[in-house]
């Protein structure tokens, strides 16, 4: 079963993944519709972690704490793709899922899929329709630097039930492309400079 | 082998579903006092707040047909005869079993049960309650209500009716709402914020001391701290007690083994079962949905395969209903406290020997899952917890997870 892996050292924080996700999940499926729309749903978030950047989204854990905690039947797993899916029609925004999610991958707001005029939980759906049609998640496709990789989980990590972030990280021993290395060095220095100025 | 469940609640439904998924194809009978398919008590207040009834059936309205269950509904089980392996309902019908799953949950506890004979006084626990309140609201054009009890269910009731547009007075005898799932400071913070955000009239250190009625119809309530109010709707939600009488003769819950067995042929789970806490080891009733699910699955697995033990309960809970203001809590509130507050967000972690003993996260769910995992795993956090709680973008713990240190 395939999952999204992260090689965060290659993340340039360009947010192309966020943009692609917003477009993919917007009813208009275009950037101009998604821009400035408060109901736009973005399921991936680029965090600034010290001097690194990290594109954060649902890890589709197995077993998934959120799925076991949802008392309204809104969270299910697509057994074919492995994606943990959230049905906003059944979601009551009660936050039981967010309360146990190790990765803060579930947020709340009134999205275009909310039916009752209030907030609902929203999270990454692994672009389930796309991947079942043989494609890759929109964020992975949009990532130019190789920080997001959609690949076989069992092949890479063995068939273990895990919810630790380390198991979704790639690239420990990879050599960085020289320009990325330079970029990281500049970013580290800038981070250091700003810290010094605090 | 014939399996009977006493109760048609969430634990029973999960148990039956798990049995079928584990390959059990024998006859299953579910006996319950209400006339509904299994529903989610967490969801039913949303029906009262105006959302569709069908969403309460969280495993589908056709549950009994889908899982090949014979449903015996409308009368509670009053006796479990473990010698003859037989259960008897209040209506006098009996059902024999080879294996019993006892998950009767809890019921509202009323200080003055006779109040309920007055039209306009309701409990707030079952779908039957919700349907009755909904009908009453529509028929009587109610615009104001008093909710007596400011625990989880009372606050849930107040917010559901507030969301529907009613003017609410919430009466609670403690110094703060949600007194069981908060400490003094956190509870007072949450109470003030709820009052500010909803405009609900919250009367603390008070109780409803009496009601007035005319021809069996509620006309008003009196308060213990003086004064009275003309009102036609009173919700009483001051506590619950487990439905364990049929099993043990008392309403104190049912002690179970790590296999969820209360007797060699009786499994017991959910809000009636006394289990061990996974972190503290204390025995108690830990009435939350995730605990009930894990217990039901443990029982189903044990019935079909003869193995598996329950990992223990966690008393974690969150109240975020009808308003985007979550209140998350777990563990016990003793030890060294570390607090962080800014604007609407208030966080406190209690440490014992450097490990999380309990926590409260109010106003925001961010990082609550991470804290939950730290609590469950009992990792040492005394060096990092202050930085985690106060990180400006609320995601500082990612540096811990990634192992990234500051430059």
């Amino acid at each position: 079963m395939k999952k999204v892996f992260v090689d965060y050292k290659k993340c340039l924080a360009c947010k192309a993944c966020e943009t692609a996700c917003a477009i993919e999940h917007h009813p208009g499926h275009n950037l101009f519709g998604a821009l400035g729309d408060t109901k736009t749903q973005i399921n991936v978030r680029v965090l600034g972690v010290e001097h690194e950047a990290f594109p954060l989204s649902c890890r589709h854990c197995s077993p998934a704490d959120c799925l076991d905690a949802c008392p309204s039947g809104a969270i299910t797993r697509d057994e074919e793709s492995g994606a943990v899916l959230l049905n906003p029609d059944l979601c009551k925004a009660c936050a039981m899922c967010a309360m146990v999610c190790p990765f803060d991958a579930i947020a709340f707001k009134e999205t275009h899929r909310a039916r009752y005029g209030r907030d609902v939980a929203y999270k990454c759906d692994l672009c389930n329709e796309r991947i079942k049609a043989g494609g890759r998640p929109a964020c992975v496709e949009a990532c130019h630097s190789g920080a997001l990789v959609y690949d076989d989980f069992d092949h890479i990590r063995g068939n273990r039930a895990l919810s630790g972030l380390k198991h979704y990280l790639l690239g420990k021993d990879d050599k960085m492309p020289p320009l990325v290395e330079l970029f990281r060095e500049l970013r580290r220095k800038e981070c250091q400079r700003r810290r010094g100025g605090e | 082998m014939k399996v009977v469940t006493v109760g048609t609640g969430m634990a029973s439904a999960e148990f039956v579903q798990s049995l079928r998924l584990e390959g059990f194809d024998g006859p299953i009978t579910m006996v319950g006092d209400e006339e509904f398919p299994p529903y989610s008590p967490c969801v039913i207040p949303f029906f009262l707040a105006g959302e569709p009834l069908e969403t309460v059936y969280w495993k589908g309205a056709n549950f009994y047909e889908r899982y090949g269950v014979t449903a015996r509904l409308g009368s509670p089980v009053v006796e479990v005869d473990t010698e003859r392996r037989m259960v008897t309902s209040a209506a006098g019908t009996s059902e024999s079993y080879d294996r019993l799953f006892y998950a009767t949950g809890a019921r509202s506890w009323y200080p003055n049960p006779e109040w309920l004979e007055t039209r306009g006084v309701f409990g707030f626990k079952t779908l039957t309650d919700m349907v009755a309140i909904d009908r009453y609201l529509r028929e009587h054009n109610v615009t104001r209500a008093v909710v007596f009890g400011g625990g989880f269910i009372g606050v849930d009731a107040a917010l559901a009716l507030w969301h529907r547009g009613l003017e609410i007075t919430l009466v609670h005898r403690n110094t703060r709402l949600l007194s069981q799932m908060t400490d003094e400071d956190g509870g007072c913070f949450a109470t003030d914020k709820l009052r500010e955000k909803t405009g609900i009239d919250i009367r603390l250190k008070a109780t409803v001391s009496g009601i007035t009625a005319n021809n069996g119809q509620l006309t008003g309530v009196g308060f213990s701290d003086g004064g009275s109010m003309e009102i036609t709707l009173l919700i009483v939600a001051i506590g619950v007690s487990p439905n364990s009488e049929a099993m043990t003769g008392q309403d104190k819950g049912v002690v179970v083994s790590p296999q969820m067995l209360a007797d060699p042929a009786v499994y017991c789970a959910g809000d009636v079962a006394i289990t061990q806490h996974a972190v503290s080891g204390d025995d108690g009733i830990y009435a939350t949905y995730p605990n009930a699910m894990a217990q039901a699955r443990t029982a189903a697995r044990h019935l079909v395969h003869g193995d598996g033990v329950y990992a223990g309960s966690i008393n974690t809970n969150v109240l975020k209903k009808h308003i985007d203001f979550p209140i998350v809590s777990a563990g016990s509130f003793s030890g060294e406290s570390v607090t962080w507050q800014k604007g609407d967000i208030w966080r406190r972690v209690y440490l014992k020997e450097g490990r999380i003993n309990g926590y409260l996260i109010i106003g925001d769910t961010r990082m609550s899952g991470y804290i939950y995992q730290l609590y469950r795993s009992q990792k040492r956090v005394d060096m990092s917890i202050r930085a985690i709680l106060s990180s400006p973008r609320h995601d500082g713990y990612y540096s811990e997870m990634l192992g990234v240190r500051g430059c």
Side-chain angles (χ1 to χ4, degrees):
Chain A
M1 218 162 264
K2 287 186 170 181
K3 296 208 176 189
V4 175
F5 291 88
V6 184
D7 187 351
Y8 69 87
K9 290 185 176 163
K10 289 183 182 162
C11 178
L12 308 178
C14 71
K15 303 202 177 194
C17 52
E18 291 189 10
T19 311
C21 180
I23 295 169
E24 177 69 22
H25 294 91
H26 194 272
H29 287 293
N30 72 73
L31 179 62
F32 299 107
L35 279 174
D37 181 348
T38 57
K39 292 187 177 182
T40 293
Q41 175 177 349
I42 307 177
N43 303 334
V44 57
R45 204 155 43 101
V46 179
L47 306 181
V49 184
E50 305 293 344
H51 54 288
E52 304 283 2
F54 187 87
L56 152 69
S57 61
C58 172
R59 305 261 70 96
H60 302 271
C61 310
S62 179
D65 284 352
C66 60
L67 199 160
D68 288 339
C70 174
S72 63
I75 304 182
T76 53
R77 186 187 299 279
D78 186 323
E79 294 298 340
E80 191 190 324
S81 65
V84 175
L85 304 173
L86 196 148
N87 178 354
D89 293 352
L90 292 175
C91 174
K92 301 296 177 192
C94 73
M96 290 289 280
C97 54
M99 181 182 73
V100 296
C101 172
F103 306 121
D104 248 355
I106 303 174
F108 299 89
K109 76 169 178 181
E110 190 178 343
T111 68
H112 280 287
R113 296 171 75 205
R115 273 179 64 182
Y116 308 115
R118 56 159 170 80
D119 62 339
V120 291
Y122 67 99
K123 63 182 272 304
C124 164
D125 59 0
L126 208 58
C127 287
N128 202 33
E129 300 303 316
R130 286 172 72 116
I131 60 173
K132 284 169 86 170
R136 295 185 298 162
C139 56
V140 175
E141 205 149 287
C143 182
H144 304 293
S145 64
L148 291 172
V149 177
Y150 180 58
D151 210 336
D152 198 65
F153 185 80
D154 299 345
H155 171 66
I156 292 177
R157 293 295 178 232
N159 195 14
R160 288 171 290 180
L162 295 164
S163 60
L165 188 63
K166 278 185 189 149
H167 303 289
Y168 301 93
L169 302 180
L170 282 180
K172 219 173 177 182
D173 309 316
D174 281 8
K175 205 166 165 3
M176 288 287 152
L179 281 174
V180 173
E181 201 65 83
L182 178 64
F183 177 82
R184 285 170 51 77
E185 184 59 19
L186 288 171
R187 190 165 65 186
R188 199 181 61 78
K189 284 195 169 151
E190 176 63 13
C191 182
Q192 200 168 21
R193 188 186 66 79
R194 288 193 194 178
R195 286 208 158 205
E198 269 175 10
Chain B
M1 185 190 286
K2 180 183 173 187
V3 173
V4 173
T5 77
V6 181
T8 57
M10 299 185 98
S12 295
E14 182 69 22
F15 174 74
V16 166
Q17 189 184 29
S18 299
L19 277 186
R20 294 301 191 209
L21 288 175
E22 298 274 5
F24 179 81
D25 57 4
I28 300 177
T29 300
M30 296 178 82
V31 188
D33 55 341
E34 290 185 271
E35 299 272 5
F36 303 104
Y39 63 81
S40 169
C42 313
V43 169
I44 54 176
F46 289 87
F47 163 63
L48 210 54
E51 295 184 13
L53 179 65
E54 57 268 24
T55 60
V56 306
Y57 305 119
W58 95 121
K59 285 187 188 290
N62 62 346
F63 182 87
Y64 300 127
E65 300 87 63
R66 184 155 31 123
Y67 293 101
V69 171
T70 306
R72 301 247 184 272
L73 306 177
S75 183
V77 164
V78 290
E79 193 194 344
V80 177
D81 185 339
T82 52
E83 294 285 309
R84 294 164 56 218
R85 296 195 174 177
M86 185 90 83
V87 295
T88 308
S89 74
T93 52
S94 292
E95 195 79 45
S96 65
Y97 65 85
D98 297 307
R99 289 289 181 278
L100 189 72
F101 184 76
Y102 189 87
T104 45
R107 63 178 178 280
S108 293
W109 178 83
Y110 301 108
N112 306 84
E114 70 280 3
W115 287 1
L116 292 163
E117 290 158 22
T118 305
R119 269 197 314 283
V121 183
F122 298 92
F124 201 87
K125 183 78 176 77
T126 64
L127 187 51
T128 306
D129 290 337
M130 302 300 142
V131 170
I133 297 168
D134 178 60
R135 187 185 303 134
Y136 183 82
L137 285 173
R138 283 187 282 109
E139 285 173 0
H140 291 73
N141 197 23
V142 180
T143 56
R144 289 198 305 164
V146 170
V147 177
F148 179 21
F152 190 97
I153 296 176
V155 174
D156 194 358
L159 289 171
L161 294 170
W162 166 78
H163 193 262
R164 190 165 165 143
L166 272 69
E167 205 180 304
I168 306 293
T169 299
L170 179 56
V171 186
H172 189 50
R173 69 174 176 174
N174 211 304
T175 53
R176 61 190 194 273
L177 298 178
L178 303 167
S179 28
Q180 276 184 20
M181 64 181 280
T182 63
D183 65 2
E184 182 74 27
D185 295 344
C188 289
F189 180 85
T191 304
D192 290 344
K193 288 291 169 191
L194 283 174
R195 184 185 276 137
E196 185 184 308
K197 286 171 185 293
T198 61
I200 290 174
D201 172 26
I202 301 172
R203 289 177 81 121
L204 297 169
K205 291 184 264 184
T207 60
V208 172
S209 52
I211 62 170
T212 53
N214 187 5
N215 285 331
Q217 166 66 46
L218 180 75
T219 54
V221 296
F223 302 113
S224 62
D225 57 348
S228 60
M229 187 182 273
E230 278 183 28
I231 207 89
T232 54
L233 175 61
L234 170 67
I235 306 282
V236 183
I238 63 163
V240 296
S241 58
N243 288 316
S244 52
E245 289 92 335
M247 193 69 206
T248 66
Q250 290 181 321
D251 65 349
K252 305 285 180 226
V254 181
V255 177
V256 297
S257 73
Q259 291 76 29
M260 305 311 299
L261 285 164
D263 168 278
V266 182
Y267 295 94
C268 177
D271 296 3
V272 73
I274 296 173
T275 58
Q276 199 175 47
H277 194 284
V279 175
S280 73
D282 296 338
D283 284 340
I285 292 178
Y286 301 103
T288 69
Y289 173 78
N291 289 333
M293 292 306 98
Q295 292 163 10
R297 287 177 203 157
T298 303
R301 183 174 173 80
H302 191 264
L303 192 153
V304 176
H305 302 292
D307 64 7
V309 291
Y310 181 53
S313 297
I314 293 277
N315 65 329
T316 173
N317 211 353
V318 54
L319 189 128
K320 175 187 177 299
K321 294 192 176 192
H322 322 286
I323 177 173
D324 191 7
F325 184 72
I327 299 157
V328 178
S329 92
S332 59
F333 308 130
S334 63
E336 181 201 348
S337 68
V338 180
T339 314
W340 182 86
Q341 192 246 317
K342 196 173 187 182
D344 279 0
I345 306 174
W346 191 97
R347 302 180 179 126
R348 176 173 285 175
V349 167
Y350 284 93
L351 298 176
K352 213 169 188 178
E353 290 161 14
R355 296 171 176 85
I356 297 178
N357 191 38
Y359 61 89
L360 269 162
I361 299 175
I362 299 172
D364 182 18
T365 55
R366 280 174 297 183
M367 87 174 61
S368 61
Y370 183 67
I371 304 284
Y372 167 78
Q373 305 290 342
L374 289 177
Y375 170 61
R376 273 211 84 147
S377 61
Q378 287 291 291
K379 281 201 182 116
R380 275 202 84 112
V381 296
D382 37 347
M383 302 305 282
S384 57
I385 195 70
R386 284 169 182 81
I388 290 171
L389 290 184
S390 62
S391 63
R393 285 188 303 269
H394 316 286
D395 47 24
Y397 55 88
Y398 260 84
S399 61
E400 295 285 321
M401 276 202 268
L402 290 167
V404 178
R405 293 279 164 261
C407 47

